[in-house]
Amino acid sequence: MLSDPLSEVFDLIEIQGLMTSSLAVPRERAWVARGSLPPTLKFLAVVHGQARLTSSGAPEPLTLQAGDVAILNNQTWLAVRGGPAGQVPYEIDVTSTSSPLGDDEGADSLLGGHVSLNAIGESLLLQALPPVGHVRAASTTVPLRARLEHLLDEVTGNRVGSAFAVRQHGQLLVLDILRVYLGQATLPPGWLRLLTDERLRAAVTLMHSEPGTAWRLETLARTAAMSRTAFATRFRSVAGMPPLTYLNRWRMLLARRALRDGNGNVGALASTLGYASESAFSTAFKRETGEPPLRYRKRVRTD
């Protein structure tokens, strides 16, 4: 099976989808759910009906149809509305875990959750996503609506093992959301755009699979079937940084995970990542993170 750089990064950032709320309101009834939000990456999905969303990053209403998902990146407040205009809306606390009103048939049914990330994930994914992203189910072959139907069924079914099923469906929902978003959005230069660039994929796969190799620009360009100049130009425009700078960033991400999760010797880690000495690695690590490796290990394990 071919290496998938995007999957490797998702493993590195330990991405998890966690369901936190649900609601179902009869469509003949006006309703509004609003409140403040903690700093995190949230998502809101419409299973049935439709809803209109506004937030600190999207002051103009965003209409979500059945199967659509909104991705909210570090938003401070959220308001979601549905039902007929002209009525005094039923108020729902957005911070409530659930607000089950009516049944799913003929209802505006929504699911909410957030994406749990480790510190590495927060530094990567949150920078790569806009304040508000709109994933349109109608313009994709990924079965988002079917996934949402399964998830809603588990959330409301109260069956044996439902908590486990919700976690699994939540994980797959986040993957589906990101797949669709990556196919629909025009991504800014950065690691997310780089990992989805087919022309550079072979070179990125090499750097990911053999981070300790002293890769030369000529070798990476040849792997991508491009000239040295064309490869360097394209890589910088897509990634927002030169290829060897990206390689160093990737090594530092691997180093942060190894120091957090393992008990290996720093010198051995330095050698694995291609540094000539422990001193050279420590200097590079401190330049990237602001602290030496052993201090970093101690801090992240006590946080």
Side-chain angles (χ1 to χ4, degrees):
M1 186 175 185
L2 292 175
S3 174
D4 179 359
L6 190 58
S7 294
E8 292 171 351
V9 173
F10 282 176
D11 287 340
L12 189 67
I13 65 181
E14 297 178 358
I15 189 168
Q16 297 182 49
L18 305 173
M19 305 309 301
T20 57
S21 59
S22 64
L23 65 87
V25 187
R27 290 177 200 165
E28 65 272 13
R29 185 174 191 178
W31 58 273
V32 59
R34 53 189 165 194
S36 59
L37 298 173
T40 186
L41 187 63
K42 291 186 65 67
F43 58 88
L44 181 73
V46 177
V47 187
H48 303 131
Q50 68 173 24
R52 300 177 300 279
L53 177 148
T54 54
S55 72
S56 50
E60 295 298 320
L62 179 66
T63 300
L64 303 174
Q65 305 290 345
D68 286 6
V69 181
I71 306 171
L72 306 169
N73 184 3
N74 274 335
Q75 296 301 287
T76 58
W77 60 268
L78 167 72
V80 191
R81 294 174 172 82
Q87 293 184 11
V88 177
Y90 175 86
E91 290 274 352
I92 301 172
D93 182 3
V94 75
T95 61
S96 174
T97 56
S98 63
S99 301
L101 302 176
D103 55 25
D104 295 334
E105 293 298 326
D108 291 325
S109 302
L110 288 79
L111 292 171
H114 73 270
V115 180
S116 175
L117 302 164
N118 60 21
I120 298 173
E122 291 177 355
S123 67
L124 290 178
L125 192 58
L126 298 187
Q127 292 178 4
L129 294 174
V132 178
H134 184 188
V135 177
R136 296 174 175 84
S139 59
T140 177
T141 58
V142 175
L144 266 183
R145 188 168 183 179
R147 181 82 67 198
L148 292 170
E149 293 275 7
H150 285 305
L151 191 51
L152 182 65
D153 183 53
E154 292 293 346
V155 168
T156 59
N158 195 29
R159 294 189 293 272
V160 173
S162 60
F164 175 80
V166 167
R167 288 195 299 271
Q168 299 304 305
H169 283 299
Q171 291 287 84
L172 293 171
L173 175 63
V174 170
L175 177 59
D176 284 344
I177 291 170
L178 290 174
R179 280 174 172 169
V180 176
Y181 180 76
L182 293 176
Q184 293 178 350
T186 301
L187 299 170
W191 72 272
L192 201 53
R193 182 173 168 187
L194 172 66
L195 298 178
T196 57
D197 188 288
E198 288 298 325
R199 291 194 67 189
L200 298 175
R201 179 173 180 173
V204 174
T205 297
L206 269 187
M207 289 188 279
H208 280 205
S209 60
E210 300 179 39
T213 299
W215 293 111
R216 295 176 61 82
L217 192 59
E218 293 82 355
T219 306
L220 296 172
R222 189 162 54 249
T223 301
M226 301 170 71
S227 70
R228 185 180 185 277
T229 301
F231 174 76
T233 301
R234 183 177 181 86
F235 199 103
R236 183 187 285 271
S237 68
V238 171
M241 66 187 77
L244 299 185
T245 300
Y246 176 82
L247 174 61
N248 184 62
R249 294 278 179 86
W250 176 246
R251 288 169 171 169
M252 290 297 102
L253 291 175
L254 295 177
R256 288 167 67 179
R257 179 175 63 178
L259 290 167
R260 184 197 64 200
D261 297 340
N263 295 306
N265 179 273
V266 173
L269 176 60
S271 178
T272 299
L273 294 176
Y275 291 89
S277 67
E278 181 177 336
S279 175
F281 167 70
S282 295
T283 299
F285 189 88
K286 184 175 182 179
R287 184 167 54 245
E288 180 74 16
T289 66
E291 55 190 335
L294 291 180
R295 185 183 300 171
Y296 174 86
R297 171 182 276 169
K298 181 178 180 180
R299 179 179 62 78
V300 295
R301 292 188 177 188
T302 56
D303 283 349

